Amino acid sequence: MSPSDDTSFRVGRDPDLAFDALADPIRRQILAVLSETESCSAGELAEQITTVGRTAVSTHLRVLRTAGLVQERREGRYRYYSIEPGGAAADVIALLRTLFRSSLDDARSAAEDSAARPVRDAAG
């Protein structure tokens, strides 16, 4: 079996790559723009991401694509990017949902324990 036949070697299924990609504020900004549109060309994204140049936007898109967070569609000489709905993004969302649910459950338990304890009078 070749690495391309094994789904564990597929681009975009490594949550570590996704979290590394999400660590950069420019990449998060690119994802925010893509979340508001169906798809964008690299040029359209570069027009909206004004803190870096076109070449840097393309480099960030390559990192996001390798991490499985965005997908690329070629149409003629243009490339259009959109959020990858089932790749690493789904894994990241599932992990964050689990972490937040666990934290919220812990906070609820602590609040319930605190509410169940009798209030002591400061004088006594």
Side-chain angles (χ1 to χ4, degrees), residues 3-124:
S4 62
D5 295 334
D6 184 354
T7 58
S8 66
F9 285 96
R10 268 204 227 138
V11 168
R13 294 309 291 185
D14 184 351
D16 291 337
L17 283 177
F19 278 105
D20 288 345
L22 290 169
D24 187 279
I26 301 297
R27 293 186 200 125
R28 291 193 306 268
Q29 190 177 4
I30 290 170
L31 288 171
V33 170
L34 289 175
S35 72
E36 296 173 0
T37 64
E38 189 172 317
S39 67
C40 267
S41 70
E44 291 168 333
L45 283 166
E47 288 174 4
Q48 295 186 49
I49 310 295
T50 58
T51 54
V52 295
R54 285 179 176 260
T55 303
V57 169
S58 293
T59 300
H60 286 296
L61 283 166
R62 183 174 45 250
V63 171
L64 290 167
R65 188 173 44 83
T66 300
L69 295 169
V70 300
Q71 58 188 1
E72 176 185 87
R73 174 179 52 87
R74 294 180 187 215
E75 195 172 292
R77 63 183 206 141
Y78 296 100
R79 295 176 186 199
Y80 293 91
Y81 297 88
S82 58
I83 292 182
E84 173 65 62
D91 296 337
V92 168
I93 290 168
L95 176 61
L96 290 174
R97 183 177 292 134
T98 300
L99 291 173
F100 285 121
R101 185 173 297 132
S102 175
S103 295
L104 290 173
D105 289 345
D106 291 346
R108 182 184 316 115
S109 293
E112 289 169 353
D113 290 346
S114 177
R117 285 190 218 123
V119 177
R120 294 185 183 198
D121 186 271

